[in-house]
Amino acid sequence: MKAAAAALPLIALLGFNSGCGKPTGQAKQPEAVMDFHQLFSENCSACHGVSGQKGAGPRLNDPLYLALVTKQDLYNVIEKGRPGTPMPAFAQSSGGPLAEKQIQAIVDGIEKDWAKPVNLQGAALPVYSIAKAPQGDAKRGQAQYMRNCMMCHGFGSFKGMAGPITDPNYLALASDQYLRTTAIVGRIDWGMPDWRHRIPGHVMNDQDISDVVAWLASQRPKGYMMAENQSTNNSSSNRSGPGSEREPKQ
Amino acid sequence: MLRSVYNWLDKRLYLTKLFQSTAGHHVPANSGSWFYVFGSATLLCFILQIVTGTLLALVYVPSTNEAWKSLQYLNHVQYLGWYLRALHNWGSNFMVALMTLHMVQVFLFGAYKYPRELTWVSGVFLLVATLAMAFTGQVMRFDEDAYWGLGIGASITGRVPFIGDRLVHLLLGGPIIAGETLSRFFALHVFVIPAIIIGIVGMHLRLVLTKGINEYPVPGKPVRRDTYDGEYEKIIEKQGVPFVPDAIGKDLIFAALVLVLILAFSAIFGPAGPSGPPDPTRVDTVPRPDFYFLSVFAALALLPDWMETIVLFVMPVLMVGFLFILPFISGTGEKSARKRPVAVLSVITIFLVLGTLTYMGDTAPWSPKMNAWSGQSVPVDLLQHRTPLEMRGALVLQNKQCRNCHSLEGHGGQRGPALDDVATRLTRDQLIRQVIQGGGNMPAYGKNLSPAEVDALVAYMLTLHPPSHPPARDSAQPQISGNPNAKERGVGEAVRKSMTGKSQ
Amino acid sequence: MTEQTANEVKNPTRRNVLFKVGVAVNAVAGVLVAIPIVGYIFSAFAHPKLVGSEAWIPLGDANTYVTGQTRLATYRNPFTRPWDGATAEIPCWVRRIDERKFQVFAINCTHLGCPVRWFQESKLFMCPCHGGVYYEDGSKAAGPPPRGLFEYSTKVENGKLYVKGGILPTLSEPLTS
């Protein structure tokens, strides 16, 4: 009896020391977060969608896209952003919030969770980078547009169900690289097919894609050159585009 | 044997006399009520705070370099350190709550009236001192909230006219928050204010003894200066009982209940913080004050700018000043709350105001959600069936941090209006103007958006309306028929022209 | 009462005199004790400007700041004590306007001193406490702040950027320019 009475406070003490209110860990520092899902949800999901798709920005949960780009491409874009496009730089060295290893964690997570072997069914994977792609021909591009895109995106007074991509304001906000990537992988999450499945029995080739992009770029009004295009495409020296207008004027 | 020891002691220490004049003093029998237990419970909390505080001081290091680490040590290494921190935290919460209840009870029972004015006034001093303990205690938990809390304190102090800058130096112990600041607050929290409280509590208790505990008020029996003392003497004569043991029973039971509750709350909910380290270079922080000061925090967000300084300095003086003079302006008359509707209504109003402000301070709808732009996606149903241009507009909406202040389907900041149905409220021209020129507490984005971005953004926002509710339209213009696409382009060009025109 | 006092003055007893002398010397001693105590506590008033509490502080190589961008920089408080710990490191926002022109803003919101955060995309500073917003140039954009961001004086010497700092800027003591 006495022993029990003595043990009771002891048990209570031990119980307290493992009580449910006992703090378990320290408040985590932002740089200490290494979990891909948390990183993605806090930094990327706003534009790329909750699970990497069905967002306003490009789809990342897309095996085809991930087959197209290298891990280094992903890393570079997250690190430095795409200047002149809505993709901001996330590396601390570029004024962003993420440490290098966190960017690596995001790249690894994207590859691990979403990259899958793609069955190309015999079709060749087009070149990703606009710098390495064949020179496009705008004239032929128009024909390609009529053939591959017009049914959904319309032309002239014909309005397609997906809405126009020849709108100058749209083109001002879509870099050539973005147009090329989208022309290749489509937006399957929103119903836009990839380069193999636009018309039955017809697969666009590298040249077709370059041509379409060249034609779309030619539809972009003068002075609407994206900053990203300016850096990759030196043929245009027009510098009065939106990129420069962003600067405060006196 | 025991008796003779007691007698020996009593002859030298006058214990019986001491008992009779203090714990054994006679009180009105009807003051042994459940309503009269809050004062003693507050005192109990204070004693618990002294005990737990002293124990924490055995480990805590009051240095800006070490304080946070020693808190971590208390939480994770020191045996039961976390529990002592929790007890000190919950003890303070209970103390503030019980003190408030005590004060409300005293006010509603008219106990501050003649001849107990000084008891009330000393109680008001205790209220101020306890709130000072709450603020300095928040600094002792030297984490990021404490650091920026000090910054807020300094910024408020810096608004004092003429001598504000020197007061800031006095408060911080230098021109900037650093080592001396914490030492200073430690001295206040551990030596100065507790000593003041102990002194005033002594006076408070002595006044309770000399002027007697308030009898349970009877409606229709007002206090009159010339007759009250005699009436009270009669009450004590007729139905006076010794406080110990006849009237203390409920205090004891309530005291035990409070202790058990503090123990339980501490075990279940644990200590408060510390949050991140007090490193000012971590700017991704969202400072929030402790519970007691959330109402002030809220008031500072909701007041018009020009009123802030006035309210910060004039209001507290007025409120505390009013509490001080209360027993002198209504020192006589009815005591019972049943006959004092204004008193009851004021208490209800004050608590509704404080409650609302605290709730708002907790939710802080005026604060931008700093991570919403990168962490809150556009709901899928608000992206479906949008044109490529509108999709780009949604991207602009995210990219330009609009979501930090505007919500979609409840997610995002609450500072500005929700955008779910913005198209039913604003026409295209109004949207363009709002985005470019700002206004109504929204920054002007004209410099930071290209014409194409404005166009895409507005095109997207025009799709934000419930299917049953058509978008707003300009009543001065006939509805456009024909190709809406052409119109879009036209307005886009107009925007571009107006913007380039402005910037030349 | 006055009669009595008058009487005492006329016929001072020994005790009376001793008491009065005792009170008087203690009053003098009390004042003497109070001088260092009050002086110690209110040194902020005695020396309103702690011996040059603001000093020129290097913020590193000017070329690390990219033109057209705003970056977080930190400096070490010029008057630190060894036990200051992390609080000695003070953050600030550095905006490089062009080759020569810099603007350096205090981190503290002018409303209540909370740390403002820079958003590169919208080119705004936002405050997490009460929603104060500032433009790129530090001027007030929205919310309750009574003025624009506090701005340090800057200079570039030998390719290094310097700011004049060392105080917590408040409305009554903004940074001297």
Side-chain angles (χ1 to χ4, degrees):
Chain A
M1 190 61 206
K2 249 187 176 174
L8 208 69
L10 207 73
I11 293 169
L13 268 184
L14 286 174
F16 278 149
N17 205 33
S18 54
C20 38
K22 189 179 181 186
T24 46
Q26 292 185 8
K28 237 186 183 175
Q29 295 313 319
E31 301 101 60
V33 176
M34 287 298 287
D35 176 54
F36 164 61
H37 293 105
Q38 190 184 346
L39 286 170
F40 188 86
S41 150
E42 282 170 5
N43 296 291
C44 323
S45 68
C47 294
H48 295 289
V50 178
S51 56
Q53 56 183 344
K54 293 230 164 195
R59 176 184 183 221
L60 299 175
N61 185 356
D62 180 355
L64 207 53
Y65 175 72
L66 294 175
L68 199 63
V69 300
T70 64
K71 275 174 110 169
Q72 193 57 44
D73 291 331
L74 287 176
Y75 187 95
N76 291 347
V77 169
I78 299 174
E79 182 193 21
K80 300 235 163 68
R82 287 187 189 274
T85 80
M87 177 67 194
F90 279 88
Q92 280 168 347
S93 58
S94 308
L98 297 181
E100 283 176 22
K101 54 179 188 183
Q102 288 176 306
I103 297 178
Q104 196 57 52
I106 293 177
V107 171
D108 293 344
I110 290 175
E111 287 284 338
K112 182 171 160 282
D113 283 19
W114 297 329
K116 280 184 214 119
V118 188
N119 182 1
L120 291 173
Q121 295 154 335
L125 200 60
V127 176
Y128 163 69
S129 164
I130 195 101
K132 293 179 192 149
Q135 195 75 26
D137 177 51
K139 235 184 203 162
R140 281 195 298 154
Q142 180 170 16
Q144 287 295 334
Y145 176 87
M146 295 311 230
R147 191 168 174 201
N148 293 289
C149 320
M150 191 264 285
M151 282 297 284
C152 294
H153 290 298
F155 186 79
S157 61
F158 168 68
K159 263 172 61 72
M161 55 180 279
I165 51 173
T166 45
D167 183 291
N169 288 310
Y170 170 76
L171 287 172
L173 296 173
S175 70
D176 288 357
Q177 179 63 62
Y178 174 78
L179 291 173
R180 178 168 182 89
T181 309
T182 314
I184 299 171
V185 299
R187 278 306 295 267
I188 295 169
D189 49 341
W190 292 119
M192 174 179 173
D194 63 51
W195 86 106
R196 297 164 298 175
H197 299 102
R198 303 226 158 97
I199 337 170
H202 174 77
V203 175
M204 292 172 82
N205 63 25
D206 250 347
Q207 189 61 49
D208 297 342
I209 293 164
S210 291
D211 293 345
V212 163
V213 171
W215 181 71
L216 284 172
S218 74
Q219 300 299 298
R220 195 180 279 135
K222 282 228 169 80
Y224 264 42
M225 185 59 76
M226 308 276 306
E228 194 188 34
N229 298 339
Q230 288 169 6
S231 57
T232 55
N233 184 354
N234 290 329
S235 63
S236 165
S237 57
N238 192 333
R239 292 218 149 244
S240 65
S244 57
E245 249 172 63
R246 238 165 268 234
E247 293 306 311
K249 296 263 163 80
Q250 303 304 315
Chain B
M1 176 64 195
L2 269 177
R3 177 129 294 250
S4 64
V5 170
Y6 178 78
N7 281 340
W8 187 90
L9 279 174
D10 193 36
K11 263 196 178 165
R12 281 148 188 89
L13 295 170
Y14 297 103
L15 292 176
T16 313
K17 257 192 181 167
L18 180 70
F19 177 80
Q20 277 168 355
S21 62
T22 55
H25 79 290
H26 281 235
V27 298
N30 56 16
S31 72
S33 149
W34 284 115
F35 285 111
Y36 281 62
V37 299
F38 302 123
S40 61
T42 310
L43 181 59
L44 174 78
C45 286
F46 180 59
I47 294 168
L48 182 71
Q49 289 305 90
I50 292 181
V51 174
T52 53
T54 308
L55 292 176
L56 289 177
L58 297 180
V59 175
Y60 180 75
V61 185
S63 129
T64 39
N65 195 27
E66 314 287 346
W68 191 80
K69 293 178 215 160
S70 68
L71 291 170
Q72 296 293 343
Y73 181 87
L74 275 165
N75 264 7
H76 300 292
V77 184
Q78 166 68 42
Y79 182 62
L80 288 180
W82 72 273
Y83 195 60
L84 260 295
R85 283 198 68 233
L87 284 179
H88 201 63
N89 175 49
W90 286 103
S92 78
N93 287 338
F94 271 76
M95 183 168 164
V96 170
L98 289 167
M99 179 185 67
T100 312
L101 282 173
H102 178 51
M103 195 172 171
V104 169
Q105 183 269 327
V106 163
F107 177 67
L108 289 181
F109 280 52
Y112 62 90
K113 289 177 190 248
Y114 178 86
R116 301 185 181 85
E117 299 96 336
L118 278 186
T119 326
W120 171 268
V121 169
S122 60
V124 176
F125 273 112
L126 287 174
L127 168 79
V128 175
T130 307
L131 290 179
M133 282 304 271
F135 183 76
T136 52
Q138 186 186 315
V139 175
M140 291 304 99
R141 193 183 65 227
F142 200 61
D143 54 13
E144 52 187 333
D145 283 357
Y147 182 89
W148 294 110
L150 281 169
I152 294 174
S155 296
I156 292 177
T157 314
R159 290 178 176 231
V160 176
F162 309 120
I163 54 165
D165 50 345
R166 297 177 191 192
L167 285 179
V168 172
H169 288 214
L170 180 65
L171 180 82
L172 300 181
I176 203 160
I177 303 168
E180 266 174 51
T181 315
L182 182 60
S183 305
R184 186 156 291 231
F185 276 82
F186 181 76
L188 283 175
H189 187 76
V190 174
F191 302 114
V192 181
I193 308 175
I196 292 173
I197 292 182
I198 290 172
I200 303 177
V201 164
M203 177 184 171
H204 201 66
L205 292 178
R206 180 171 161 72
L207 283 163
V208 172
L209 290 177
T210 53
K211 288 296 158 193
I213 198 97
N214 188 34
E215 79 283 359
Y216 203 97
V218 181
K221 278 188 92 178
V223 180
R224 291 176 50 183
R225 259 179 240 282
D226 43 350
T227 59
Y228 180 79
D229 289 329
E231 285 166 21
Y232 189 73
E233 250 169 61
K234 256 187 220 155
I235 294 174
I236 295 292
E237 237 169 70
K238 266 198 212 158
Q239 35 160 322
V241 293
F243 177 62
V244 178
D246 289 29
I248 200 178
K250 288 171 183 163
D251 289 83
L252 289 176
I253 293 169
F254 188 69
L257 179 73
V258 166
L259 274 184
V260 169
L261 280 178
I262 293 177
L263 288 169
F265 271 63
S266 305
I268 296 167
F269 300 110
S275 54
D279 179 352
T281 61
R282 306 187 162 280
V283 295
D284 49 353
T285 172
V286 180
R288 289 286 178 272
D290 275 3
F291 175 78
Y292 331 100
F293 300 108
L294 279 175
S295 53
V296 184
F297 179 76
L300 286 171
L302 301 172
L303 287 168
D305 306 348
W306 60 270
M307 267 174 80
E308 280 182 342
T309 305
I310 301 168
V311 168
L312 271 171
F313 299 116
V314 178
M315 278 287 276
V317 172
L318 280 184
M319 286 196 298
V320 175
F322 175 78
L323 289 176
F324 275 133
I325 61 165
L326 177 69
F328 304 104
I329 53 173
S330 84
T332 55
E334 275 291 344
K335 276 185 173 179
S336 172
R338 287 170 201 278
K339 293 254 178 176
R340 291 164 59 218
V342 176
V344 176
L345 272 179
S346 340
V347 169
I348 294 174
T349 313
I350 288 169
F351 276 87
L352 280 180
V353 170
L354 282 182
T356 313
L357 283 177
T358 304
Y359 171 76
M360 297 201 70
D362 190 38
T363 49
W366 52 80
S367 297
K369 296 263 183 302
M370 302 301 243
N371 296 323
W373 73 283
S374 65
Q376 296 290 348
S377 62
V378 182
V380 170
D381 59 309
L382 296 184
L383 286 175
Q384 227 135 28
H385 311 305
R386 291 336 196 247
T387 66
L389 178 72
E390 289 157 3
M391 288 286 239
R392 287 267 119 179
L395 212 51
V396 172
L397 181 89
Q398 299 290 87
N399 179 259
K400 296 295 172 186
Q401 279 96 20
C402 306
R403 288 293 288 285
N404 286 16
C405 292
H406 296 281
S407 69
L408 285 176
E409 297 192 349
H411 296 292
Q414 311 286 320
R415 173 142 200 128
L419 295 180
D420 302 75
D421 53 357
V422 67
T424 65
R425 281 179 272 124
L426 297 175
T427 64
R428 165 180 288 271
D429 291 348
Q430 288 169 325
L431 279 171
I432 292 170
R433 201 182 58 189
Q434 183 65 32
V435 168
I436 292 179
Q437 297 180 1
N441 230 345
M442 175 170 156
Y445 280 79
K447 286 177 179 174
N448 303 333
L449 290 175
S450 69
E453 283 171 327
V454 174
D455 193 274
L457 180 61
V458 169
Y460 176 65
M461 285 198 285
L462 282 173
T463 68
L464 295 177
H465 60 88
S468 54
H469 197 150
R473 63 183 182 85
D474 191 349
S475 54
Q477 281 175 11
Q479 249 174 314
I480 306 286
S481 54
N483 188 352
N485 204 17
K487 178 177 160 51
E488 265 169 37
R489 188 170 302 189
V491 174
E493 238 124 58
V495 177
R496 205 171 316 128
K497 259 180 207 151
S498 76
M499 286 182 67
T500 45
K502 207 173 68 179
S503 61
Q504 268 158 10
Chain C
M1 188 65 196
T2 43
E3 249 177 62
Q4 205 186 341
T5 337
N7 199 28
E8 275 172 15
V9 173
K10 263 187 221 159
N11 303 303
T13 65
R14 190 179 144 78
R15 281 177 200 291
N16 230 324
V17 171
L18 271 182
F19 176 72
K20 282 180 181 164
V21 170
V23 169
V25 284
N26 273 289
V28 174
V31 170
L32 288 177
V33 171
I35 290 171
I37 292 179
V38 172
Y40 182 87
I41 297 176
F42 292 96
S43 56
F45 286 79
H47 305 283
K49 295 274 172 201
L50 261 159
V51 209
S53 54
E54 285 179 273
W56 286 105
I57 309 156
L59 277 186
D61 203 337
N63 284 332
T64 53
Y65 301 97
V66 184
T67 301
Q69 288 202 9
T70 301
R71 288 292 176 80
L72 189 71
T74 63
Y75 65 82
R76 200 163 169 79
N77 192 16
F79 305 100
T80 50
R81 298 154 196 88
W83 59 91
D84 276 350
T87 57
E89 297 288 330
I90 307 298
C92 56
W93 291 110
V94 179
R95 175 192 181 209
R96 183 163 201 176
I97 304 171
D98 55 39
E99 262 320 288
R100 296 244 182 115
K101 266 162 83 185
F102 286 87
Q103 263 186 313
V104 183
F105 305 108
I107 196 81
N108 307 88
C109 181
T110 56
H111 180 228
L112 287 176
C114 287
V116 294
R117 225 181 293 174
W118 167 247
F119 288 93
Q120 177 68 38
E121 294 73 23
S122 49
K123 298 208 184 296
L124 294 172
F125 295 97
M126 293 188 196
C127 176
C129 285
H130 295 102
V133 184
Y134 307 84
Y135 291 118
E136 183 176 33
D137 62 356
S139 59
K140 177 191 163 179
R147 49 161 285 172
L149 286 173
F150 299 116
E151 200 177 328
Y152 292 94
S153 345
T154 60
K155 64 174 181 188
V156 179
E157 266 179 21
N158 302 327
K160 281 215 159 100
L161 175 64
Y162 288 84
V163 290
K164 200 173 179 192
I167 61 164
L168 178 74
T170 57
L171 286 178
S172 59
E173 195 178 14
L175 298 153
T176 49
S177 44

